Amino acid sequence: LQPKLHPFLTRKPISTRDWRKTQTCIHSFSVSYQKFVDFALDETTRHTHLLPSPLQEKYNFMKSKDGKGELSMLSYEATKIRLLRSLIIETETLQVLDFTVFPKAEYDVPIFCANFFTSAKTNIVVLDLNPLHDIIHEYDYKEKYFKSLIPLGLKYVELFPWGGKLTSESINFFSPIVIWTRFTSSPQKYDILYSAFKDYYKVWLELLGKAVKERDGSQILHNLEAQHRYLTWRAEKDPGQGVLKKLVGDSLAKDLLRSFLFNGVDELGSKTFNDYFPQYCCEEGTLNKKSNSVDKSFERRPWDARGEFIGN
Ligand code: BLA
């Protein structure tokens, strides 16, 4: 199998990246998320010119502490994209894809979000166009980006049943078409997940393509704060933190989260987690680290077939 080189990679090869290794599936039955990333990069270059991000120099390839796992990272930027980044983790027992694209603050386009965690027993999946603004209360924002996408969401509702209880913050970051699911491993499920990923990414690219640059300074600030709030949530609460720490140790995991995965959390704004999410602050004023100490709810999908919120 010849490794496939993207046009921008042939201009500036990323030497530390071993394409062949990531393309080879070392497990007897397991998924490789590499083709998801390849698809997304190919598709993005059809729409826009991708440039390697300055982050690429530092974040590209890492071995886990025990030497048995590999973490592969890619990052790019483009005219309308502040950061497109992906992390693939492959160990003997798990595969992870964390692929997110953050538009620049001049665009109020949703954040593309694909988080897939696969172990021998289970798969935990979030695939969504995370809305930048409150779509439960801001009718216009929901109309602008999600009204036309409801049929796409419905296509996958039956195939991927609701994954169970969540915090209300996660729900606020999710859209009416979110795929939030858990399933036991099967090749058929990965095929469906791959087609959902392709469908969702293609419609997201269309939204981005159509987006018009915002000129109003206060609206740009509003978008920027929404991006920062999102980064602050995810850098602090990412359920993958425990896995990352186990693989690469506490300080590298923290660095990966704050400087790579949720890059911008320390630069795009000065508000803290506490400012944005005061409900997570316990009496002494220290952050409540346990995710399950704040009530989780939404046992069922809190949107109806028309994309109306029915959670309350
Ligand atoms: C679990 N990951 C979850 C859950 C959600 C997400 C909702 C389940 C419920 C919860 O604990 O909240 C994902 N939550 C999101 C996303 C957003 C959000 C995408 O709010 C966006 C706004 N997951 C990863 C990575 C790893 C990972 C990189 O993205 C591992 C390196 C693992 N996710 C992972 C694991 C669980 C999980 C292990 C189960 C955790 C548990 O049950 O406690």
Side-chain angles (χ1 to χ4, degrees):
L1 237 168
Q2 274 300 309
K4 192 168 167 190
L5 286 179
H6 295 279
F8 40 92
L9 287 181
T10 53
R11 268 187 289 111
K12 191 183 177 221
I14 295 156
S15 54
T16 34
R17 187 164 159 67
D18 186 344
W19 276 90
R20 194 161 302 182
K21 196 173 283 172
T22 53
Q23 301 247 322
T24 313
C25 194
I26 51 172
H27 314 279
S28 52
F29 164 66
S30 71
V31 59
S32 169
Y33 288 122
Q34 188 61 49
K35 72 172 181 182
F36 290 62
V37 176
D38 289 345
F39 170 83
L41 292 178
D42 277 344
E43 206 60 26
T44 315
T45 47
R46 279 174 207 265
H47 287 73
T48 185
H49 183 68
L50 277 180
L51 286 169
S53 154
L55 293 174
Q56 189 65 52
E57 293 282 328
K58 182 171 173 201
Y59 300 96
N60 39 62
F61 183 79
M62 220 185 260
K63 284 232 178 231
S64 61
K65 283 192 300 184
D66 65 4
K68 291 181 184 165
E70 297 180 341
L71 291 80
S72 312
M73 289 146 276
L74 285 175
S75 56
Y76 297 95
E77 46 190 49
T79 315
K80 295 182 178 180
I81 295 173
R82 181 180 69 84
L83 176 64
L84 174 160
R85 94 293 183 279
S86 85
L87 165 67
I88 287 181
I89 304 176
E90 293 193 333
T91 76
E92 284 173 327
T93 52
L94 58 86
Q95 291 82 40
V96 173
L97 172 66
D98 184 339
F99 179 84
T100 307
V101 195
F102 302 97
K104 286 187 181 165
E106 287 84 0
Y107 305 92
D108 66 357
V109 177
I111 296 165
F112 184 85
C113 164
N115 278 73
F116 307 155
F117 172 88
T118 297
S119 66
K121 282 193 198 135
T122 189
N123 292 267
I124 302 172
V125 163
V126 174
L127 175 62
D128 195 22
L129 278 51
N130 291 155
L132 201 55
H133 300 301
D134 178 348
I135 43 140
I136 295 171
H137 303 100
E138 287 182 34
Y139 179 80
D140 290 349
Y141 188 75
K142 184 166 136 188
E143 286 282 300
K144 182 174 175 183
Y145 286 122
F146 291 99
K147 193 181 173 198
S148 63
L149 301 183
I150 301 302
L152 173 61
L154 291 177
K155 182 174 161 188
Y156 291 102
V157 158
E158 305 271 304
L159 296 164
F160 291 120
W162 190 247
K165 286 187 176 182
L166 292 165
T167 63
S168 50
E169 281 67 34
S170 289
I171 282 293
N172 290 335
F173 286 118
F174 291 170
S175 82
I177 63 161
V178 65
I179 295 178
W180 153 237
T181 193
R182 298 172 194 260
F183 55 83
T184 49
S185 300
S186 90
Q188 292 79 10
K189 279 282 189 185
Y190 296 126
D191 288 345
I192 305 170
L193 187 62
Y194 185 46
S195 75
F197 179 86
K198 289 189 286 186
D199 283 352
Y200 275 51
Y201 198 64
K202 281 192 269 189
V203 298
W204 180 81
L205 277 174
E206 278 169 30
L207 297 184
L208 187 73
K210 282 191 230 150
V212 179
K213 193 172 186 173
E214 181 65 60
R215 308 240 167 238
D216 176 357
S218 68
Q219 190 55 44
I220 297 174
L221 275 180
H222 185 49
N223 295 343
L224 187 67
E225 177 156 302
Q227 289 267 1
H228 186 246
R229 185 173 180 276
Y230 180 92
L231 292 167
T232 305
W233 168 256
R234 296 210 52 195
E236 183 70 37
K237 287 288 170 194
D238 200 296
Q241 272 188 52
V243 178
L244 279 179
K245 284 180 179 166
K246 238 186 236 165
L247 288 173
V248 298
D250 284 11
S251 72
L252 263 181
K254 191 176 171 230
D255 180 59
L256 261 183
L257 279 160
R258 296 196 79 86
S259 303
F260 178 72
L261 292 176
F262 306 111
N263 172 281
V265 65
D266 295 317
E267 294 86 18
L268 298 186
S270 53
K271 283 195 185 170
T272 63
F273 184 86
N274 239 341
D275 297 331
Y276 289 127
F277 310 100
Q279 63 277 31
Y280 277 81
C281 186
C282 59
E283 277 170 19
E284 306 86 61
T286 50
L287 264 188
N288 200 335
K289 287 275 178 195
K290 276 190 178 167
S291 59
N292 62 2
S293 54
V294 170
D295 274 352
K296 288 189 180 177
S297 44
F298 308 107
E299 207 158 337
R300 272 161 241 253
R301 188 175 188 88
W303 287 278
D304 68 13
R306 288 178 301 131
E308 300 294 333
F309 190 71
I310 49 165
N312 292 326

